[in-house]
């Protein structure tokens, strides 16, 4: 759901909650809202405004209903090469797996959670890692950025525009050997 749909949802929810509160007040015996609505409907210029607002509210509701039902494409793709024979694509999940593989090969890395973001001229990669406390963070993050960029480009041909490495935690427990 994009920002436009989130905005519509926020407004729609706010107005719907306002209507519910007014309905509850009327059911509880408060007649002032009914008198206000009746007066507003009797003025001709107000009718046009009310029809417009109700129409927009209905269209917003239909839009939200449509967004909730539409199916997103599973496995977004990044185009690698387009030639006379067609397109060669690789899924973003495959790129995530490549990044996991190369990062976990580095000594001192305990866990990795990469996220690949498709951009018009390549991709960006966010890598969250858990590392051992005995490594030098600036050194390991520079190595990771270089290795991931080169590895992804060599394997897929996709240009990596930006690599952000976040050290989420230090692993203080040593892995058990059985």
């Amino acid at each position: 759901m994009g920002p436009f749909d989130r905005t519509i949802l926020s407004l729609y929810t706010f107005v719907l909650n306002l209507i519910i509160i007014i309905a509850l007040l009327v059911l509880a015996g408060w007649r002032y809202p009914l008198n206000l609505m009746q007066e507003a409907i009797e003025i001709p210029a107000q009718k046009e405004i009310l029809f417009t607002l109700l129409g927009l509210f209905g269209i917003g509701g239909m839009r939200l209903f449509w967004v909730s039902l539409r199916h997103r494409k599973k496995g977004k793709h990044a185009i690698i090469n387009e030639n006379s024979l067609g397109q060669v694509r690789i899924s973003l999940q495959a790129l995530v797996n490549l990044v996991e593989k190369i990062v976990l090969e580095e000594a001192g890395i305990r866990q990795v959670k990469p996220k690949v973001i498709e951009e018009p001229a390549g991709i960006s990669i966010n890598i969250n890692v858990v590392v051992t406390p005995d490594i030098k963070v600036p050194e390991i993050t520079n190595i990771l950025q270089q290795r991931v960029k080169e590895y992804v480009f060599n394997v897929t041909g996709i240009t990596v525009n930006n690599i952000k490495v976040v050290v989420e935690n230090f692993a203080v427990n040593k892995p058990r050997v059985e």
Side-chain angles (χ1 to χ4, degrees), residues 102-116:
I102 194 69
V103 171
L104 286 173
E105 287 178 358
E106 197 63 41
I109 304 293
R110 291 286 179 243
Q111 293 177 6
V112 60
K113 292 181 222 164
K115 180 179 179 184
V116 178

Side-chain angles (χ1 to χ4, degrees), residues 14-29:
F14 176 76
V15 171
L16 197 57
N17 283 325
L18 193 64
I19 291 170
I20 289 170
I21 290 169
I22 291 171
L24 288 172
L25 290 173
V26 169
L27 288 173

